[in-house]
Amino acid sequence: MAAYPEYPPDQGDEQQNYLLTSLKDWSIAHGLAVRPTIAYVSAETDPSGALATTAPVTLFPSLFPRVCFEQAKSVAQDYNELYSAIASDEEWLKQTVEELVDIDDFIAQLWKVHLAVKQEGYAQVRSTRHIQILELMMIEPLNLGLFRSDYMVHTDPANAQSRPCVKQVEFNTIASSFGGLSTQVSALHKYLLAVGAYPGTLSSIISDAALPESTSVPGLALGMAKAHEVYGPSNGGLPTCVIFLVQDPERNVFDQRHVEYALNRNHGVKTFRLPFGRVLEDTKLDADRKLLYSPPHAPSKQFEVTLVYFRAGYSPAEYQSQRDWDGRLQIERSAAIKCPSILTQLAGTKKVQQVLATPHSPHLKRFVPDEARAAAVLKTFAPIYPMDKSEAGQEARKLAQDPETAVRYVLKPQREGGGNNVYRKAIPHFLKETPETHWPAHILMEMIEPPAQSNVIFRNGELQKGGVICELGIYGACLWKDEDGKGRRKILENFEAGYLLRTKGSGSEEGGVAAGFGSVDSACLIDVD
Amino acid sequence: MAAYPEYPPDQGDEQQNYLLTSLKDWSIAHGLAVRPTIAYVSAETDPSGALATTAPVTLFPSLFPRVCFEQAKSVAQDYNELYSAIASDEEWLKQTVEELVDIDDFIAQLWKVHLAVKQEGYAQVRSTRHIQILELMMIEPLNLGLFRSDYMVHTDPANAQSRPCVKQVEFNTIASSFGGLSTQVSALHKYLLAVGAYPGTLSSIISDAALPESTSVPGLALGMAKAHEVYGPSNGGLPTCVIFLVQDPERNVFDQRHVEYALNRNHGVKTFRLPFGRVLEDTKLDADRKLLYSPPHAPSKQFEVTLVYFRAGYSPAEYQSQRDWDGRLQIERSAAIKCPSILTQLAGTKKVQQVLATPHSPHLKRFVPDEARAAAVLKTFAPIYPMDKSEAGQEARKLAQDPETAVRYVLKPQREGGGNNVYRKAIPHFLKETPETHWPAHILMEMIEPPAQSNVIFRNGELQKGGVICELGIYGACLWKDEDGKGRRKILENFEAGYLLRTKGSGSEEGGVAAGFGSVDSACLIDVD
């Protein structure tokens, strides 16, 4: 931060050694850990996968304006409301998704799964088996969202005197990660402060009061426990459980385990980890479409699944074959609460973010009727434009082609997780080389201009010091019940569930932190004018 | 155990995989960890020492007779009383130690340190500086013992119908380890039970009620906190701290850290880790012999040390030069409470154990005047004889030379940590080959005959299944004040502080667990007739 050019300070060898030793020991003692990469530890060295290492972390908590932190937290419930409304409005979502079907095969496939389930649902309604219909109607509409809204601090480059505010980078509706480690890293930085690992010269900046605790572990576990509770006991008298649907192998397993252990410990809920590729092996649907799980280690046992928490299945690369899609369909068809359902997952696409954040968009109002709340949410949007032939698209095309205005924008492919972003002055040339028919496959987003700051990142046993960029994630838990599939819903739970600071190298300094060299971090709140 | 020949049961691959995955993740998430050996992970792979692995643990809690467990716990406070009395009776201890001075250079050196401090103390008493004398008298006599009494279950081989009881293997008065991990491993086994990682066929054996929690982490931390509190604030207005005197490097660092973190968290006590070799660099004595510590990372700061907790300095190999002895002397001279003082350390020698456990020994009564309590302690002794020319020694020589009786004994060198034990039928031949003048350098101990049992140990990423031997350690915390240096003392705190089960391969089965392949374990209590 400009106001704190010396943060974090250079440390002598003994100081750094004390800080690092304290950090390495505390992190392992408290499970702030990951399994090491193959590049760090070869499979030969550790065939049984018993080694672990400190999760990538910053040595110091990064500076973060208190007003921005408070602003992001203050809209957490509004975002829960907004996204639960979107996910409940199938008709609206359909329009948005249909624009993507031709350019994004993954979204097209997800939509197909949704349609198949919807179709079957209608078939049931037309059937004469009234009892089952009622049951389906009662169970199906429960939804759990464990969201994470990601922000960066933005200062208007045209007005250096303006107050900083947060602008949304993206909104995650599936597999929002690092909630397990975030609670630990905020506790780590508090510990390092308490044991005097930070130089006394920082005492005017870092204090216990300036380090907000992250409550993401108990918060996310509470969200799941509420869903589990609302689902209720098994009619058939089976034991119930929550499934963590996971990738296998998973290096970031402790992040997930901390939430799982909290769910066991704080709420007495039974849990199992199910690899995404094993859905069809280990689960089945009964006649009422209840999802039944039999663990491979005890195949004669059966559990009724109340909630499937996705920490997998969010990326196209995970769907290797039709079998993977069939597994996803099986879960979506089931009576288990999905965190998230396919509609909720689709609500988290960049396209939806763009539609909401396009200047003068009418959509936000639709989902957040309260004007004051809608205005608060709107303030966190960076303007995003479509690159199509709509009015807003025409405006975007002008901004993007003009070298003078293009420098304030980034051009992103609409496709999820696909292709590279084109930044600032490279945009006009890129558009010249790209057939105009392909332009609508992109969105144009105003660049967020985060303040420059530095930190030291410890990752894979290596230290890197240099320029960094921080992203603040605010977790939200929302449990709701669809009432008509057209947006009417009843919200049962809606709360903020802790925060995450993700910090990565900005690549802005020679010899500094490599760009993309990421880490978990916590916020040291500062007051700015 | 003979009554449970199928324990632990064989498991299929899926069952073992579930158990092991659950264990590996839980252990790292909860810091049940060690730094890997160089043989496991080379220094090249991990130059910064950021890797960790699951501490060596058993997959199942080992079976342990409930009566034996209760018996060992019931004498914990008596042992605290006994050993605090011995450590306060310098004159008695002197006789015992003087017998060893010629055969054990380490003990001779320790005694010299004690004598030097004693001499200086007398010099002070003879001086005219009355105020300082009083202060020394008031501060010096505080002692903290964090003891661990180790037992094995014994069944009289001559009487198969006899009830099992515990017999003491040794009594540790310095650096009693694994208290930090023991709380975690008992929690691990409870977790594995709760998540169904143990086969249902075991449900009549393993239940939550059969798995006693180990309270060693809070117990040991409480002991230290009490000592810290009794020392009180610094007269000179300095901040105070507790020093963990440690080896460097230390693979078993998390064991120590868990106790340290509990001391910080539960009691708000500041702590520092001081490598044994750095005592003279980082500490000094002021005119009142207060021990002042300046951390290398903040050399301008000074802390008054209330307590030095030894996790180093117990083994001759650690004293490489006069400088190491000078460091030990500096701590012993200081007003800081020593855990342990040299006298307390010497009270833990095998020789003292032998003197107490020699049949018809008069010494136990001297230290534990209450007859019932002394009898309870006596029951935990396996008979131990000197090999000298005393009456008991003559009896021992007879037992050891006769092949028929020798099979029930082990011959151990008196020297601490030196040489190898000679077992059973090898004893008569060994004595024939050894000049009679060297016989007194040994003690003869009746073999403890633990029941055969099996377990699976996970260590350095490898599984080994086979015959094991379990040692039960009961921690005790005792804080006392010498009143006259002749055995009179005032006990301020005396409590049991949790338990440890240490399990190692017995080498008793082909292809089983390698002998000495050790692990931390917890007890599954069983009722025996």
Side-chain angles (χ1 to χ4, degrees):
Chain A
M1 297 271 166
Y4 302 90
E6 308 288 309
Y7 187 91
D10 284 323
Q11 291 189 293
D13 285 352
E14 289 285 6
Q15 291 177 315
Q16 177 143 309
N17 185 34
Y18 178 65
L19 172 54
L20 199 56
T21 301
S22 302
L23 181 154
K24 284 189 300 183
D25 287 353
W26 192 97
S27 58
I28 296 297
H30 294 81
L32 175 52
V34 292
R35 295 288 178 199
T37 58
I38 291 289
Y40 187 175
V41 175
S42 68
E44 259 166 23
T45 298
D46 189 29
S48 66
L51 290 169
T53 191
T54 298
V57 288
T58 56
L59 266 50
F60 296 82
S62 286
L63 303 179
F64 204 90
R66 185 183 300 272
V67 287
C68 295
F69 189 80
E70 297 301 341
Q71 183 195 3
K73 281 177 68 134
S74 71
V75 291
Q77 285 169 299
D78 302 318
Y79 267 112
N80 286 343
E81 175 134 351
L82 170 59
Y83 275 86
S84 63
I86 293 171
S88 303
D89 194 340
E90 195 234 12
E91 220 153 295
W92 184 88
L93 211 44
K94 184 183 166 195
Q95 290 177 356
T96 314
V97 165
E98 280 183 344
E99 287 184 42
L100 295 175
V101 161
D102 291 337
I103 56 171
D104 192 327
D105 188 52
F106 182 55
I107 286 179
Q109 291 282 348
L110 287 172
W111 189 248
K112 262 174 64 184
V113 173
H114 163 70
L115 287 182
V117 177
K118 182 180 167 188
Q119 180 107 18
E120 189 182 14
Y122 286 159
Q124 300 266 356
V125 171
R126 279 200 301 270
S127 86
T128 54
R129 296 169 57 206
H130 290 289
I131 295 160
Q132 188 167 3
I133 294 161
L134 286 174
E135 198 162 57
L136 280 169
M137 291 300 288
M138 282 181 62
I139 293 173
E140 283 279 289
L142 280 169
N143 283 280
L144 178 67
L146 293 179
F147 301 136
R148 201 187 68 217
S149 185
D150 291 338
Y151 306 93
M152 289 201 290
V153 171
H154 175 69
T155 314
D156 185 349
N159 179 2
Q161 299 308 311
S162 66
R163 288 184 83 183
C165 61
V166 289
K167 292 289 179 188
Q168 190 178 55
V169 178
E170 63 179 358
F171 190 86
N172 303 284
T173 60
I174 184 168
S176 309
S177 57
F178 295 112
L181 298 185
S182 172
T183 293
Q184 304 294 77
V185 75
S186 78
L188 167 69
H189 287 151
K190 278 178 181 288
Y191 166 77
L192 292 173
L193 172 66
V195 298
Y198 296 138
T201 51
L202 293 182
S203 61
S204 63
I205 305 174
I206 312 186
S207 65
D208 199 59
L211 302 181
E213 204 181 318
S214 176
T215 55
S216 46
V217 166
L220 297 174
L222 180 64
M224 290 191 219
K226 290 291 181 186
H228 177 81
E229 188 188 323
V230 168
Y231 184 99
S234 162
N235 282 342
L238 292 176
T240 57
C241 73
V242 168
I243 288 288
F244 279 54
L245 194 67
V246 297
Q247 297 181 346
D248 185 26
E250 172 61 81
R251 288 184 50 236
N252 195 26
V253 61
F254 306 108
D255 179 44
Q256 302 169 359
R257 287 290 201 182
H258 283 300
V259 179
E260 183 184 358
Y261 298 147
L263 189 53
N264 302 154
R265 194 178 52 234
N266 303 351
H267 307 285
V269 175
K270 202 172 253 314
T271 50
F272 291 99
R273 290 171 64 81
L274 172 60
F276 186 64
R278 288 194 57 100
V279 170
L280 295 181
E281 275 87 345
D282 300 339
T283 72
K284 63 176 188 187
L285 298 183
D286 74 3
D288 295 335
R289 295 207 216 156
K290 282 174 186 151
L291 187 63
L292 305 181
Y293 171 72
S294 289
H297 67 275
S300 63
K301 284 196 185 153
Q302 244 181 8
F303 295 84
E304 182 170 335
V305 180
T306 59
L307 171 69
V308 179
Y309 170 57
F310 281 74
R311 290 298 292 259
Y314 52 86
S315 139
E318 292 174 79
Y319 296 80
Q320 295 282 337
S321 69
Q322 185 54 39
R323 209 174 150 70
D324 296 316
W325 284 108
D326 292 347
R328 181 70 193 260
L329 174 65
Q330 176 146 307
I331 293 172
E332 193 70 11
R333 288 183 65 214
S334 81
I337 301 174
K338 275 75 69 179
C339 177
S341 68
I342 283 183
L343 288 183
T344 305
Q345 180 177 356
L346 290 170
T349 55
K350 268 184 289 195
K351 180 71 189 173
V352 169
Q353 189 191 11
Q354 173 248 299
V355 168
L356 295 171
T358 298
H360 317 299
S361 160
H363 299 288
L364 180 59
K365 278 184 225 122
R366 174 191 178 104
F367 298 116
V368 184
D370 181 297
E371 276 187 32
R373 300 323 306 156
V377 170
L378 184 62
K379 269 193 196 151
T380 64
F381 290 164
I384 310 179
Y385 300 86
M387 286 288 289
D388 58 19
K389 289 186 169 167
S390 67
E391 201 175 323
Q394 296 297 351
E395 197 184 332
R397 288 171 177 218
K398 212 186 289 173
L399 291 165
Q401 288 173 282
D402 180 341
E404 268 188 48
T405 48
V407 294
R408 288 190 288 117
Y409 291 88
V410 53
L411 192 71
K412 294 182 177 185
Q414 296 225 29
R415 198 141 53 90
E416 294 300 310
N420 295 314
N421 297 344
V422 183
Y423 289 94
R424 304 188 194 258
K425 65 185 180 195
I427 300 172
H429 179 74
F430 175 84
L431 290 176
K432 254 179 222 155
E433 306 284 303
T434 307
E436 210 178 307
T437 52
H438 290 194
W439 290 10
H442 298 81
I443 60 168
L444 188 74
M445 181 169 179
E446 203 172 290
M447 286 293 288
I448 306 175
E449 308 282 358
Q453 67 172 310
S454 296
N455 212 325
V456 189
I457 293 176
F458 184 61
R459 186 185 159 102
N460 297 336
E462 288 170 26
L463 283 176
Q464 285 198 23
K465 177 168 182 170
V468 295
I469 291 176
C470 300
E471 236 177 82
L472 174 70
I474 303 288
Y475 296 96
C478 190
L479 180 66
W480 74 94
K481 209 166 176 171
D482 274 354
E483 294 194 316
D484 62 0
K486 292 172 186 164
R488 269 193 53 203
R489 74 208 185 288
K490 186 178 171 191
I491 293 183
L492 307 177
E493 298 286 343
N494 176 357
F495 53 89
E496 185 239 298
Y499 83 93
L500 164 73
L501 205 63
R502 279 273 287 165
T503 292
K504 59 188 180 195
S506 60
S508 62
E509 292 173 26
E510 281 287 330
V513 187
F517 196 88
S519 64
V520 285
D521 191 357
S522 79
C524 176
L525 300 183
I526 52 170
D527 293 310
V528 291
D529 301 322
Chain B
M1 297 273 166
Y4 302 92
E6 307 288 309
Y7 187 91
D10 284 324
Q11 292 189 293
D13 285 352
E14 288 286 6
Q15 291 177 315
Q16 178 143 307
N17 186 34
Y18 178 65
L19 172 54
L20 199 56
T21 301
S22 302
L23 181 154
K24 284 189 299 183
D25 287 354
W26 192 97
S27 57
I28 296 295
H30 294 81
L32 176 50
V34 291
R35 296 287 178 199
T37 59
I38 291 290
Y40 188 175
V41 175
S42 68
E44 258 166 23
T45 298
D46 189 28
S48 66
L51 290 169
T53 190
T54 299
V57 288
T58 57
L59 266 50
F60 295 83
S62 285
L63 304 180
F64 204 91
R66 186 184 299 272
V67 286
C68 296
F69 190 80
E70 297 301 341
Q71 183 195 1
K73 281 177 67 132
S74 71
V75 290
Q77 285 170 298
D78 302 318
Y79 267 112
N80 286 343
E81 175 135 350
L82 170 59
Y83 275 86
S84 62
I86 294 171
S88 303
D89 194 339
E90 194 233 12
E91 219 153 297
W92 185 88
L93 211 44
K94 183 182 168 193
Q95 290 176 357
T96 314
V97 165
E98 280 183 346
E99 287 184 42
L100 295 175
V101 161
D102 290 338
I103 56 172
D104 193 326
D105 188 52
F106 182 55
I107 286 181
Q109 291 281 347
L110 287 172
W111 189 249
K112 262 173 63 183
V113 173
H114 163 69
L115 288 182
V117 177
K118 181 181 167 187
Q119 179 109 20
E120 189 182 15
Y122 284 159
Q124 301 264 355
V125 171
R126 279 202 300 272
S127 86
T128 53
R129 296 171 56 206
H130 289 289
I131 296 162
Q132 188 165 3
I133 295 162
L134 286 176
E135 197 162 58
L136 279 168
M137 292 299 288
M138 284 181 59
I139 294 174
E140 284 277 288
L142 280 169
N143 283 280
L144 177 67
L146 293 179
F147 301 136
R148 201 187 68 217
S149 186
D150 291 338
Y151 307 93
M152 289 200 292
V153 171
H154 175 71
T155 316
D156 184 350
N159 179 2
Q161 300 308 311
S162 66
R163 287 184 84 182
C165 61
V166 289
K167 292 289 180 189
Q168 189 178 55
V169 177
E170 63 180 357
F171 191 85
N172 302 284
T173 59
I174 184 167
S176 309
S177 56
F178 295 113
L181 298 184
S182 170
T183 293
Q184 303 295 77
V185 75
S186 78
L188 167 69
H189 288 152
K190 278 177 180 287
Y191 166 78
L192 292 172
L193 171 67
V195 299
Y198 296 137
T201 51
L202 293 182
S203 61
S204 63
I205 306 173
I206 310 187
S207 66
D208 199 57
L211 302 181
E213 204 181 318
S214 175
T215 56
S216 47
V217 166
L220 298 175
L222 180 62
M224 289 190 220
K226 290 291 183 186
H228 177 80
E229 190 187 320
V230 169
Y231 184 99
S234 162
N235 283 343
L238 291 175
T240 56
C241 75
V242 168
I243 289 288
F244 279 53
L245 195 67
V246 297
Q247 297 181 346
D248 184 27
E250 173 60 82
R251 289 185 49 236
N252 195 27
V253 61
F254 306 108
D255 178 44
Q256 303 169 357
R257 287 291 202 181
H258 283 300
V259 179
E260 183 184 357
Y261 298 148
L263 189 53
N264 302 152
R265 193 177 53 233
N266 302 353
H267 306 284
V269 175
K270 201 172 253 315
T271 50
F272 292 99
R273 290 171 65 80
L274 172 61
F276 186 62
R278 286 193 58 100
V279 171
L280 296 181
E281 276 87 346
D282 300 340
T283 72
K284 64 176 187 187
L285 298 184
D286 74 2
D288 294 336
R289 295 207 218 156
K290 283 175 186 150
L291 187 63
L292 305 181
Y293 171 72
S294 289
H297 68 275
S300 63
K301 283 193 186 156
Q302 245 180 8
F303 295 84
E304 182 170 335
V305 180
T306 58
L307 170 69
V308 179
Y309 171 57
F310 282 74
R311 290 300 291 261
Y314 52 85
S315 140
E318 292 175 80
Y319 295 79
Q320 295 283 337
S321 70
Q322 187 53 40
R323 210 172 151 72
D324 296 317
W325 283 109
D326 292 347
R328 182 70 194 261
L329 175 64
Q330 176 147 307
I331 293 172
E332 193 69 12
R333 288 183 65 213
S334 80
I337 301 174
K338 277 74 70 178
C339 177
S341 69
I342 283 183
L343 288 184
T344 305
Q345 180 176 356
L346 289 171
T349 55
K350 268 185 288 195
K351 180 71 189 176
V352 169
Q353 189 192 10
Q354 172 248 298
V355 167
L356 294 171
T358 299
H360 317 300
S361 160
H363 298 290
L364 180 59
K365 280 184 226 129
R366 174 191 177 102
F367 298 115
V368 184
D370 182 296
E371 277 187 31
R373 301 321 307 153
V377 171
L378 184 63
K379 270 195 196 150
T380 64
F381 290 164
I384 310 179
Y385 301 84
M387 286 289 288
D388 56 21
K389 290 185 168 167
S390 67
E391 200 174 325
Q394 296 296 351
E395 196 184 335
R397 288 171 177 220
K398 213 185 288 175
L399 292 165
Q401 288 174 281
D402 180 339
E404 268 190 49
T405 48
V407 293
R408 289 190 289 117
Y409 290 88
V410 53
L411 192 71
K412 294 182 177 183
Q414 295 226 30
R415 198 140 52 90
E416 294 299 311
N420 295 315
N421 296 343
V422 183
Y423 289 94
R424 305 186 194 257
K425 63 184 179 196
I427 300 173
H429 179 73
F430 175 84
L431 289 176
K432 254 179 221 153
E433 305 284 303
T434 306
E436 211 179 308
T437 51
H438 290 195
W439 290 9
H442 298 81
I443 59 168
L444 188 74
M445 183 170 178
E446 202 171 292
M447 286 294 289
I448 306 174
E449 309 282 357
Q453 68 172 309
S454 295
N455 211 325
V456 189
I457 294 177
F458 184 61
R459 186 184 158 104
N460 298 336
E462 287 171 27
L463 283 176
Q464 286 198 22
K465 178 170 180 166
V468 295
I469 291 177
C470 300
E471 235 176 84
L472 174 69
I474 303 288
Y475 296 95
C478 190
L479 180 66
W480 75 92
K481 208 167 175 169
D482 276 354
E483 294 194 316
D484 62 1
K486 292 172 186 165
R488 271 194 51 204
R489 73 208 187 286
K490 186 176 173 194
I491 293 183
L492 307 177
E493 299 286 341
N494 176 359
F495 53 90
E496 185 239 298
Y499 83 94
L500 165 74
L501 206 62
R502 279 273 287 165
T503 292
K504 59 188 181 192
S506 62
S508 63
E509 292 173 26
E510 281 288 328
V513 187
F517 197 87
S519 64
V520 286
D521 191 355
S522 78
C524 177
L525 300 183
I526 53 171
D527 293 310
V528 291
D529 301 323

